[in-house]
Amino acid sequence: MAALRRKFGEDYQVVNTSQATTFSAPVKKKRQRFVEKNGRCNVQHGNLGGETSRYLSDLFTTLVDLKWRWNMLIFILTYTIAWLVMASMWWIIAYIRGDLNHRHDESYTPCVANVYNFPSAFLFFIETEATIGYGYRYITEKCPEGIILFLFQSLLGSIVDAFLIGCMFIKMSQPKKRAETLMFSQEAVISQRDGRLCLMFRVGNLRNSHMVSAQIRCKVIKSRQTPEGEFLPLDQCELDVGFGTGADQLFLVSPLTICHEINPKSPFFDLSQRSLKNEQFEIVVILEGIVETTGMTCQARTSYTEDEVLWGHRFLPVMSLEEGFFRVDYSQFHSNFEVPTPPYSVKEHEERSALPSPLSVDTPPPSRGQRRERVFSVDCIRSVEEGVGRGPLGGRLPSKLHRMSSSGREDLQRKVLLLSSQHAEKACSTGDLPLKLQRLGACSSSSSSPPPSPEVPRLQLSALKVGFEPMTQSTGELYRPGGGGAAAAAAAALAGSPRACSPVPVSTPGRTEDSLPLKLLRMNANR
């Protein structure tokens, strides 16, 4: 015991199975069906009051709808009473005429020969009604009342025969018996077909004679409550089994599997495997067709409750190909097997598919060219500008150029930010920049450069910034091939390696005033 507790824990207990202890599983209450499996409707009509007389107005249909035992009882009683009544009338005629007292009188002519008591009168009626005619009892010509009764007997007998024999014939030839050879599967299944969740059941015809114009319909019977608070017991809802596509018209030669696709219009749109155990509904299946041999319309019915609907199952195939014909194995007609099926409803599936995926919101990384054109840094522009301004040339510029530089600085930064927000193709366009900027950009693009790095745009913008200061001057006045100034340093930076973003060193050989253009020298002299 200690070893067992160490293995299984302290909660381990030994149960004595020698005692006769019986465990009874909870018995589920039998489901009250609206339509039985054999097609009989489980409905009784009561408290008709004065409406009972309507049954007598259609007496023939009433007799046909009765059960066989009641039909046989009515059939026997009708003929027995009619025979006794007519035999009594013949006996009364013989009694009134006094034929019973002249039994052995040869000279007396009775109304009916050889009728002297009630048994003989009854036999005479039977012989006449059944047209047996033994020839021993017959009507004489001296009995007019007998002739009239004979005519009435013939008419009444024909009416009774037509009514009762016709009723029995119609009842025997009813197509209800033909419905006994139309089979439905004992259970319905729910599984996927063609990627869609479907409710399926199977129908079959046991006879070789076909059902002409066979059509199938389904009704879902379920109690519900309207938004206005009205309770609808046994509310009927149509179940689509292919009415729009013509799939409800059956060629019932071999067993067929009827399929209902569960979609937003289906009453089972929010039905899942878990909610199926708590639902209460009944599916009524109605199969109609014309019997090929008799031409009468036949209807077969059955029903499936929620307990008879299996989630995640599929029917076994029953058709097989033999030598020259197809064989149907009805031993597997009701068999099904389990298949993988999603346990959630179609509504939940659509809601899950409608939610955006977390991976779909990630933006793809920019391409190599887009990264080069879009990454701009205004701080790098300022740092290069400050480095150039601290050189020996920056402090010797005229005040007019300083004002021009300060006035155009904000415009250049605004254009740079505007270019950074545009697409790569738009950022490469220099049509809106001054001529000096276009030429400097062309020089930088024509030069060969090593593999790009994130600091390349910063050097290009620094060159553009230096070249923007003398916007009103031409390139020929600001830059001479032999001189070395800020523009030359910027051009050299564009033509050189663009890997570093540090200020470009500016070499100023000799005097700075000698390297300035003539026009700038004049402006310094005026100052």
Side-chain angles (χ1 to χ4, degrees):
M1 179 64 68
L4 291 175
R5 288 190 176 182
R6 284 195 302 268
K7 184 177 180 180
F8 297 100
E10 295 296 330
D11 296 335
Y12 180 83
Q13 294 181 0
V14 177
V15 180
N16 188 8
T17 58
S18 60
Q19 299 179 359
T21 306
T22 58
F23 298 94
S24 59
V27 180
K28 188 176 181 180
K29 186 178 180 181
K30 186 179 179 181
R31 175 76 155 81
Q32 186 66 38
R33 311 179 72 100
F34 186 72
V35 178
E36 300 291 342
K37 295 294 289 184
N38 57 4
R40 187 181 65 86
C41 297
N42 193 16
V43 178
Q44 294 183 0
H45 302 280
N47 296 329
L48 296 177
E51 304 297 332
T52 310
S53 59
R54 295 177 180 267
Y55 290 98
L56 298 179
S57 61
D58 190 10
L59 185 59
F60 184 80
T61 307
T62 303
L63 293 177
V64 172
D65 290 339
L66 290 176
K67 295 182 179 180
W68 271 106
R69 52 179 175 267
W70 297 108
N71 272 289
M72 295 300 297
L73 179 62
I74 292 174
F75 185 86
I76 295 173
L77 289 178
T78 300
Y79 274 106
T80 302
I81 293 173
W83 293 343
L84 292 176
V85 170
M86 295 305 299
S88 300
M89 295 182 67
W90 286 110
W91 182 81
I92 291 173
I93 291 176
Y95 178 79
I96 294 175
R97 288 177 56 88
D99 297 342
L100 302 177
N101 299 327
H102 298 82
R103 178 177 181 180
H104 302 286
D105 191 356
E106 298 292 338
S107 60
Y108 182 76
T109 304
C111 180
V112 178
N114 299 319
V115 174
Y116 304 107
N117 48 27
F118 182 80
S120 59
F122 183 79
L123 291 175
F124 170 74
F125 168 77
I126 294 299
E127 294 174 8
T128 305
E129 180 67 23
T131 64
I132 297 174
Y134 291 112
Y136 184 71
R137 299 177 180 87
Y138 55 91
I139 302 175
T140 60
E141 68 278 2
K142 294 183 179 181
C143 182
E145 59 274 16
I147 297 175
I148 296 174
L149 183 59
F150 176 76
L151 297 176
F152 177 76
Q153 173 186 334
S154 300
L155 293 176
L156 182 62
S158 300
I159 293 175
V160 172
D161 291 342
F163 191 82
L164 293 181
I165 295 177
C167 178
M168 298 296 292
F169 175 77
I170 293 296
K171 192 168 183 62
M172 286 187 296
S173 62
Q174 269 187 327
K176 289 183 179 180
K177 296 302 179 182
R178 178 63 177 89
E180 298 293 336
T181 55
L182 296 176
M183 293 181 61
F184 296 92
S185 59
Q186 294 291 338
E187 296 167 331
V189 298
I190 294 179
S191 60
Q192 284 187 331
R193 172 179 284 189
D194 297 331
R196 298 177 178 87
L197 197 64
C198 300
L199 171 70
M200 293 173 285
F201 57 92
R202 181 178 279 175
V203 296
N205 183 16
L206 297 179
R207 290 187 180 273
N208 292 328
S209 59
H210 300 168
M211 293 290 296
V212 182
S213 301
Q215 184 180 9
I216 194 164
R217 296 183 293 117
C218 293
K219 295 282 186 179
V220 178
I221 300 178
K222 182 179 179 181
S223 301
R224 68 181 183 92
Q225 189 172 5
T226 62
E228 294 79 12
E230 181 184 4
F231 180 73
L232 301 178
L234 303 178
D235 182 52
Q236 299 184 12
C237 178
E238 188 73 22
L239 199 64
D240 186 14
V241 288
F243 178 77
T245 60
D248 59 333
Q249 304 291 332
L250 307 181
F251 182 56
L252 199 58
V253 179
S254 61
L256 300 177
T257 300
I258 309 301
C259 178
H260 163 68
E261 179 183 348
I262 301 178
N263 50 30
K265 297 182 180 179
S266 172
F268 302 128
F269 181 56
D270 55 351
L271 182 67
S272 62
Q273 185 177 7
R274 178 178 298 179
S275 62
L276 179 61
K277 302 177 182 178
N278 302 325
E279 290 286 341
Q280 286 190 357
F281 61 86
E282 185 173 352
I283 304 173
V284 179
V285 181
I286 304 172
L287 176 61
E288 294 179 342
I290 301 175
V291 182
E292 186 180 27
T293 54
T294 62
M296 303 180 69
T297 303
C298 173
Q299 184 181 96
R301 296 182 297 267
T302 190
S303 68
Y304 300 98
T305 59
E306 67 278 358
D307 298 332
E308 298 170 345
V309 178
L310 303 180
W311 188 281
H313 285 71
R314 187 180 298 165
F315 289 108
L316 284 172
V318 295
M319 293 286 295
S320 61
L321 179 60
E322 303 291 341
E323 296 182 359
F325 61 93
F326 293 93
R327 181 181 180 84
V328 181
D329 184 10
Y330 279 99
S331 63
Q332 303 293 332
F333 184 81
H334 303 285
S335 302
N336 54 71
F337 62 97
E338 192 171 356
V339 293
T341 305
Y344 45 83
S345 63
V346 179
K347 182 179 180 180
E348 295 174 354
H349 175 70
E350 293 185 357
E351 290 177 354
R352 291 183 181 181
S353 59
L355 292 176
S357 176
L359 301 178
S360 63
V361 297
D362 295 340
T363 57
S367 62
R368 195 171 182 178
Q370 291 177 352
R371 187 185 299 111
R372 179 179 298 178
E373 297 294 339
R374 290 186 180 182
V375 178
F376 294 92
S377 177
V378 181
D379 298 335
C380 186
I381 297 175
R382 293 178 180 176
S383 62
V384 175
E385 179 187 2
E386 293 174 359
V388 177
R390 285 193 298 268
L393 183 63
R396 306 290 297 272
L397 289 178
S399 60
K400 187 175 182 179
L401 291 182
H402 281 288
R403 288 194 299 269
M404 292 171 59
S405 175
S406 62
S407 62
R409 184 179 304 165
E410 291 80 9
D411 297 335
L412 178 61
Q413 295 179 1
R414 194 162 47 248
K415 286 186 178 182
V416 170
L417 295 177
L418 180 61
L419 288 174
S420 65
S421 64
Q422 295 177 354
H423 199 262
E425 290 80 359
K426 296 182 180 180
C428 293
S429 177
T430 59
D432 296 335
L433 297 178
L435 180 61
K436 179 66 176 179
L437 301 181
Q438 296 182 19
R439 292 184 178 179
L440 290 176
C443 293
S444 63
S445 63
S446 62
S447 62
S448 60
S449 61
S453 62
E455 299 179 354
V456 171
R458 302 168 69 91
L459 284 175
Q460 294 179 358
L461 291 178
S462 64
L464 294 176
K465 178 62 181 176
V466 175
F468 182 79
E469 294 177 358
M471 286 182 61
T472 59
Q473 306 299 325
S474 63
T475 57
E477 296 175 350
L478 290 178
Y479 176 71
R480 285 183 291 185
L494 286 175
S497 176
R499 288 184 177 275
C501 190
S502 60
V504 181
V506 181
S507 62
T508 57
R511 296 180 58 186
T512 310
E513 289 84 354
D514 296 338
S515 63
L516 292 176
L518 181 60
K519 192 171 183 179
L520 296 180
L521 294 175
R522 291 177 181 177
M523 293 174 63
N524 287 334
N526 293 335
R527 186 181 61 177

